[in-house]
Amino acid sequence: MSAGRILITRPEAEAASLVARLRERGMEADAAPMLAIVPQLPDAKDLQTALAGVTALLFTSANGVRAFAAASSRRDFTVYAVGEASAQAAMEAGFTDVTAAGGDVHSLAAVVADHHPPHRGALLHAAGATLAGDLQAMLRKSGHDVRRLTFYAAEPARDLPDTVKARFGAGGYAAALFFSPRTAATFVSLSKASAVTDGARACAALCLSQNVATALQGLPWREVRIAAQPREDDMLALL
């Protein structure tokens, strides 16, 4: 892909990390977080009840890791993380027994089924208010005792940042990275509301999955490309 400015649409913490990675590679990038992560930490008693008999935690995002770490000081659980980014976040939070799956809930369910048979104890999914796939239902089919507790919500942005709005509308981005269908749909909606949709004609949409690409169909992208695997490194490989 030709050199040019990159647009990052991930939530603030992940966006900052990704912008830094791109700059290390000599690429200029702007962040326009399409979702704001709002902690919704459970009551201490509810968390204690949910953790009774639990031997492993399930994280489907780095946001879940950070929210759990803020709610509980315990780090003695085995951790199964949806991908490398959430696994890294778990290790940075102080967990030591961490296994990463392939980047989506189906691969996470498969990893748990292979490494954590039901007799090893219950599982707790530290989830967001909006789910991308029902991990609890998947694992209950294999006999696991899976609890789910909400630790955060992801609220959609209400507008594009002014600088990003102007630059996108003028065709100033070579590529935009999208990591979730909800992020993609929010960007499409805000671009239409701001009347800057023609900016997509100069921009390649780089997507974590086919579901993300489908959510972007409302804009006239120069091209749409999908990562080989649902991982950050595979997204960067599209650049």
Side-chain angles (χ1 to χ4, degrees):
M1 180 174 292
S2 60
R5 203 168 191 91
I6 311 301
L7 178 61
I8 309 300
T9 60
R10 303 192 84 179
E12 185 174 358
E14 289 86 352
S17 173
L18 190 49
V19 167
R21 288 192 69 183
L22 291 173
R23 287 177 178 165
E24 289 173 357
R25 300 179 178 211
M27 300 179 185
E28 289 300 315
D30 293 335
M34 290 293 97
L35 298 175
I37 304 305
V38 180
Q40 291 187 350
L41 303 185
D43 177 86
K45 184 176 181 181
D46 291 340
L47 179 56
Q48 183 179 10
T49 299
L51 287 173
V54 165
T55 56
L57 302 176
L58 310 179
F59 292 121
T60 45
S61 74
N63 298 311
V65 175
R66 288 188 283 267
F68 181 89
S72 173
S73 61
R74 289 188 60 181
R75 302 292 184 267
D76 56 321
F77 299 103
T78 295
V79 167
Y80 297 101
V82 70
E84 295 170 1
S86 49
Q88 180 63 34
M91 290 185 285
E92 291 173 355
F95 294 97
T96 57
D97 183 6
V98 180
T99 299
D104 58 33
V105 292
H106 295 284
S107 66
L108 178 55
V111 166
V112 173
D114 287 342
H115 292 80
H116 200 95
H119 67 80
R120 286 190 58 187
L123 307 161
L124 176 67
H125 178 198
T130 302
L131 300 175
D134 194 340
L135 181 63
Q136 184 180 43
M138 293 178 195
L139 287 169
R140 281 180 171 174
K141 289 180 180 179
S142 55
H144 288 84
D145 176 4
V146 187
R147 296 90 181 265
R148 183 169 65 214
L149 206 56
T150 297
F151 283 79
Y152 68 95
E155 298 183 352
R158 296 183 179 182
D159 199 1
L160 297 175
D162 289 342
T163 300
V164 169
K165 187 188 304 183
R167 184 167 283 147
F168 183 74
Y173 291 108
L177 277 62
F178 298 94
F179 286 78
S180 76
R182 195 171 178 215
T183 292
T186 300
F187 185 83
V188 170
S189 177
L190 294 181
S191 296
K192 290 180 177 179
S194 299
V196 294
T197 57
D198 279 351
R201 299 184 188 279
C203 185
L206 309 184
C207 308
L208 190 72
S209 69
Q210 179 59 56
N211 287 340
V212 176
T214 299
L216 289 170
Q217 289 179 350
L219 296 185
W221 301 100
R222 174 167 58 83
E223 64 173 324
V224 177
R225 303 175 66 183
I226 300 171
Q229 297 292 330
R231 301 177 299 198
E232 184 174 289
D233 285 347
D234 289 275
M235 288 285 281
L236 295 182
L238 295 176
L239 294 169

